[in-house]
């Protein structure tokens, strides 16, 4: 793993700082673009005065099934830190389903066999949309079809409503056709019902230990059938919308009941499949089902079930113990080489993106490669309501970083500012514009520190989000509601993202390649070069060319 010196690029005296502005891309539209609307003197200066180019951050450029798939943090950080394109979870599950390998696997057979032997119930829990970021409804439907073919007679669904990777009030577009499908199953003698649910930002899908209460609410709803009762998911969604104007991701928890009894509590002897493939928001609920020692909340009577995730979510801690599809193998990411060569590294973000710059960046590994040379810093995030606090913890992150850069504590620094993404997901345009302005101030502070230290600052992003805060129709017009108000867009975008090289100690050694198809996976090779090394062969080509 020895790194070779670069033939013509020499390491600067100061650190290489890779700054990921989560969710900030370049949109072709102006209306609804919070990045364009924001006052960004520092980013403007960088664009005018430094070498820069857009990078692809979506679809096949980051290992997703097609170029219609928007990028996301997992695949984006995997591509940046891994420096290559690997087939990602969504694609691996598609293949495992289309070849039938998933159903031939030991775990599917075990869970299905368990239900048939005991005449118990098969439960599915997961994000209920076709967003393709954490899950896909096609995967769920393929598994239900197989369960039907295998003669399973009782199936229950615990649905996490999305509105964050898909349109913000689209829940019924998924629920109503699904209910029709369930009607056809019921007519065949399969008891198949939606049993519980709620918005994905209210229950079950917390990440990085930011808000365990969410998981507790989900547990009580799905497992114990505790919560406000409705005759159907449709009734719950409509009622919550009418009562409080909730958008999908924040819908409160609900339980579907008949004669006052929940239709689908999870009981001992049942099988449970958590069908999300992405790890960050799947780990905590998996621990709740699996761990004997569990300090995070009181689970009450924990049913003895066969539990499986769609994938292995954490390859270091082996969560969950049983899974249906093997996760993508991202061997030898950039930091493994840097650690093996004793190159010091600092990774920093706030809780909401902490795992992005550590776990995802290192190919879904939660540990460090070498404790002696790696520092991971987490600044605790506020809980919820990021449109109320669009500044999030950006200032605190930079407060930590400025002295670390000026003192050149580690040669390679990576930081993720969550604001463009987390505030972008709220659909609040004004808050998103403010989020970008906050981030711009931090970029200015990093520029000053990097200049002082004679280092290099790379500014990029993992995918777009706040660059499109409104939905557009096929003709490119903003979609408007009856009141004429623009329809908010809460999801990521397909847009390209910035890549800027601020190199105040420039020796005019290189220019930035203009190759059109370049994407996030070309950043790692570039970082190696700026640290004075040639990138090993496993990495995609660098973006730096000899002048
Ligand atoms: O989990 C989320 O918040 C969204 O589905 C995707 O956002 P991220 O990929 O930026 O984390
Ligand atoms: Mn992101
Ligand atoms: Mn996001």
């Amino acid at each position: 793993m020895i790194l070779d010196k670069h033939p013509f690029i020499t390491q600067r005296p100061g650190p290489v700082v890779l700054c990921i502005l989560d969710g900030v891309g370049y949109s072709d539209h102006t209306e609804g673009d919070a990045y364009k609307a924001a006052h960004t003197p520092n980013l403007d200066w960088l664009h005018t005065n430094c070498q820069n180019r857009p990078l692809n951050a979506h679809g096949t450029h980051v290992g997703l099934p097609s170029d219609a798939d928007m990028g996301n943090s997992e695949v984006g950080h995997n591509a940046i830190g891994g420096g290559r394109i690997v087939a990602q979870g969504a694609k691996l599950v598609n293949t495992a389903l289309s070849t039938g390998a998933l159903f031939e696997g030991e775990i599917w057979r075990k869970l299905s066999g368990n239900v048939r032997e005991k005449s118990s119930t098969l439960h599915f829990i997961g994000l209920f949309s076709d967003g393709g970021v954490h899950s896909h409804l096609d995967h769920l439907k393929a598994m239900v079809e197989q369960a039907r073919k295998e003669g399973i007679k009782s199936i229950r669904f615990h649905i996490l409503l999305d509105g964050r990777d898909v349109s913000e009030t689209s829940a019924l577009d998924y629920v109503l056709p699904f209910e029709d499908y369930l009607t056809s199953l019921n007519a065949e003698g399969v008891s198949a019902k939606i049993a519980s649910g709620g918005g994905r930002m209210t229950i079950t899908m917390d990440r990085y230990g930011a808000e365990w209460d969410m998981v507790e609410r989900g547990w009580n709803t799905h497992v114990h059938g505790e919560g406000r009762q409705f005759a159907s998911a449709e009734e719950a969604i409509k009622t919550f919308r009418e009562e409080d104007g909730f958008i999908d991701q924040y819908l409160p928890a609900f339980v579907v009941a008949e004669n006052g009894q929940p239709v689908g509590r999870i009981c001992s002897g049942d099988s449970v499949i958590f069908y999300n493939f992405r790890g960050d928001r799947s780990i905590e609920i998996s621990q709740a089902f699996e761990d004997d020692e569990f300090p995070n909340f009181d689970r009450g009577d924990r049913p003895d079930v066969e539990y499986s995730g769609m994938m292995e979510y954490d390859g270091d801690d082996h969560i969950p113990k049983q899974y249906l599809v093997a996760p993508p193998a991202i061997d030898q990411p950039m930091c493994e080489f840097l650690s093996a060569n004793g190159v010091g590294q600092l990774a920093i973000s706030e809780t909401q993106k902490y795992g992005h710059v550590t776990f995802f960046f290192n190919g879904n590994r939660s540990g460090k490669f070498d404790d002696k040379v790696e520092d991971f810093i987490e600044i605790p995030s506020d809980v919820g309501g990021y449109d109320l606090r669009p500044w999030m913890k950006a200032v605190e992150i930079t407060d930590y970083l400025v002295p670390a850069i000026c003192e050149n504590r580690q040669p390679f620094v990576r930081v993720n500012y969550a604001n463009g993404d987390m505030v972008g997901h709220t659909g609040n345009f004004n808050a998103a514009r403010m989020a970008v302005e906050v981030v711009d101030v931090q970029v200015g502070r990093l520029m000053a520190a990097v200049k002082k230290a004679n280092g290099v600052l790379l500014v990029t992003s993992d995918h777009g989000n706040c660059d499109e805060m409104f939905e557009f129709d096929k003709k490119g017009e903003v979609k408007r509601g009856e009141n004429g108000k623009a329809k908010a867009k809460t999801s990521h975008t397909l847009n390209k993202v910035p890549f800027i090289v601020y190199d105040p100690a420039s020796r005019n050694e290189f220019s930035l390649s203009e190759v059109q198809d370049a994407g996030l996976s070309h950043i790692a090779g570039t970082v190696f070069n700026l640290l004075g090394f040639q990138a090993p062969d496993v990495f995609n080509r660098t973006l730096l060319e000899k002048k």
Side-chain angles (χ1 to χ4, degrees):
M1 281 212 144
I2 302 297
L3 291 167
D4 294 324
K5 284 261 163 279
H6 197 274
F8 63 89
I9 298 176
T10 41
Q11 191 185 3
R12 309 289 180 260
V16 175
V17 180
L18 176 64
C19 171
I20 301 168
L21 308 181
D22 208 300
V24 179
Y26 296 130
S27 172
D28 292 337
H29 301 287
T30 299
E31 255 186 305
D33 182 343
Y35 172 38
K36 280 203 199 86
H39 179 60
T40 51
N42 296 304
L43 287 165
D44 296 348
W45 188 92
L46 290 172
H47 279 99
T48 311
N49 295 290
C50 299
Q51 299 201 58
N52 72 91
R53 55 155 300 151
L55 290 180
N56 291 291
H58 71 290
T60 52
H61 298 279
V62 285
L64 293 171
S66 90
D67 284 339
D69 297 310
M70 63 203 179
N72 68 69
S73 291
E74 176 186 39
V75 298
H77 286 75
N78 281 173
I80 299 172
R84 74 209 78 160
I85 299 170
V86 294
Q88 284 289 350
K91 209 164 163 177
L92 297 175
V93 178
N94 285 354
T95 309
L97 286 167
S98 62
T99 59
L102 190 151
F103 304 123
E104 283 150 27
E106 186 199 331
I107 302 303
W108 171 270
R109 286 190 283 125
K110 187 171 174 190
L111 267 76
S112 161
N114 175 55
V115 168
R116 278 179 286 130
E117 252 165 54
K118 297 183 180 146
S119 297
S120 59
T121 297
L122 175 60
H123 297 263
F124 290 99
I125 312 175
L127 187 60
F128 199 73
S129 80
D130 56 3
V133 173
H134 294 267
S135 71
H136 202 295
L137 267 185
D138 287 351
H139 300 165
L140 175 64
K141 283 185 200 144
M143 289 189 288
V144 178
E145 273 303 299
Q146 181 71 17
R148 188 186 127 235
K149 274 193 218 142
E150 292 181 11
I152 289 176
K153 291 288 175 236
S154 174
I155 312 177
R156 294 292 180 268
F157 302 90
H158 304 268
I159 62 173
L160 305 170
L161 300 163
D162 190 348
R164 186 172 171 95
D165 298 326
V166 295
S167 190
E168 68 166 357
T169 44
S170 54
L172 290 174
D173 300 346
Y174 301 104
V175 168
L176 297 181
F178 195 73
E179 291 280 19
D180 290 343
Y181 170 60
L182 297 189
T183 307
S184 68
L185 287 182
N186 286 312
E188 281 174 25
V190 181
S191 166
K193 297 177 185 178
I194 295 177
S196 76
R200 56 174 286 181
M201 297 304 282
T202 306
I203 59 168
T204 315
M205 279 177 62
D206 182 40
R207 66 178 165 201
Y208 307 142
E211 206 184 332
W212 272 99
D213 289 358
M214 280 172 65
V215 188
E216 181 172 13
R217 280 193 290 274
W219 176 267
N220 289 334
T221 311
H222 311 313
V223 175
H224 298 308
E226 284 168 12
R228 188 165 163 192
Q229 297 190 347
F230 294 89
S232 66
E234 179 185 359
E235 185 190 78
I237 294 164
K238 286 184 171 160
T239 307
F240 288 135
R241 280 191 187 152
E242 266 163 37
E243 283 178 359
D244 273 306
F246 283 109
I247 57 172
D248 295 349
Q249 55 181 325
Y250 305 121
L251 285 166
F254 63 85
V255 172
V256 177
E258 286 164 11
N259 307 318
Q261 286 308 308
V263 300
R265 282 197 193 97
I266 299 177
C267 303
S268 289
D270 290 347
S271 292
V272 178
I273 294 177
F274 193 75
Y275 64 85
N276 288 12
F277 46 77
R278 175 166 144 172
D280 55 349
R281 296 189 184 277
S282 306
I283 288 174
E284 292 171 35
I285 186 72
S286 298
Q287 289 174 311
F289 274 102
E290 287 190 339
D291 288 3
D292 292 333
E293 296 290 313
F294 186 78
N296 301 295
F297 58 85
D298 178 2
R299 292 174 291 188
D301 286 336
R302 175 166 62 117
D304 184 7
V305 296
E306 284 294 345
Y307 177 84
S308 172
M310 179 63 96
M311 290 225 152
E312 182 176 52
Y313 302 128
D314 184 328
D316 282 346
D317 292 339
H318 299 296
I319 306 170
K321 294 182 185 69
Q322 307 193 109
Y323 53 88
L324 298 172
V325 180
I330 308 174
D331 295 329
Q332 301 189 320
M334 161 164 60
C335 295
E336 190 168 353
F337 281 92
L338 294 179
S339 295
N341 285 268
V343 179
Q345 302 147 56
L346 165 64
I348 180 168
S349 190
E350 62 175 273
T351 310
Q352 285 293 343
K353 301 285 173 183
Y354 173 71
H356 292 34
V357 277
T358 55
F359 175 76
F360 287 152
F361 200 92
N362 283 339
N364 302 346
R365 288 176 183 81
S366 47
K368 295 176 185 168
F369 293 105
D370 183 349
D371 265 333
K372 289 193 285 301
V373 294
E374 287 168 280
D375 272 345
F376 287 0
I377 304 293
E378 175 184 353
I379 309 284
S381 285
D382 298 319
V383 172
Y386 296 115
D387 50 342
L388 309 179
R389 303 170 196 83
W391 40 88
M392 301 184 70
K393 295 296 177 195
V395 174
E396 289 80 351
I397 293 171
T398 322
D399 288 347
Y400 185 94
L401 272 179
V402 167
I405 296 170
C406 291
E407 292 162 19
N408 197 12
R409 283 186 215 149
Q410 286 94 351
F412 177 50
V413 175
R414 56 188 193 274
V415 53
N416 178 305
Y417 288 106
N419 312 56
D421 181 66
M422 295 303 287
V423 185
H425 279 303
T426 67
N428 182 331
F429 177 81
N430 285 331
R433 182 176 54 194
M434 190 180 287
V436 177
E437 293 181 351
V438 169
V439 164
D440 185 75
V441 173
Q442 310 316 309
V443 169
R445 296 177 65 196
L446 295 185
M447 286 164 66
V450 162
K451 186 164 184 191
K452 200 159 166 197
N454 267 325
V456 184
L457 175 66
L458 303 173
V459 179
T460 189
S461 174
D462 54 341
H463 52 78
N465 184 336
C466 66
D467 36 295
E468 281 177 26
M469 297 297 295
F470 298 162
E471 288 195 0
F472 290 87
D473 63 20
K474 289 206 178 87
K475 286 194 239 133
E477 305 286 331
V478 173
K479 285 190 193 165
R480 295 188 186 276
E482 282 156 21
N483 53 7
K485 223 174 126 213
K487 170 113 174 108
K489 172 168 163 137
T490 50
S491 62
H492 295 172
T493 68
L494 291 162
N495 295 330
K496 292 186 183 178
V497 299
F499 186 72
I500 307 169
V501 184
Y502 174 63
D503 182 18
S506 166
R507 300 192 175 93
N508 267 325
E509 293 156 332
F510 58 78
S511 55
L512 205 49
S513 152
E514 286 174 12
V515 183
Q516 277 310 301
D517 69 346
L520 297 180
S521 67
H522 295 88
I523 293 176
T526 309
V527 170
F528 277 116
N529 296 168
L530 291 166
L531 288 165
F533 300 115
Q534 292 189 54
D537 289 343
V538 288
F539 293 91
N540 275 354
R541 63 175 190 278
T542 171
L543 292 167
L544 305 183
E545 290 171 350
K546 199 168 176 118
K547 258 213 160 151

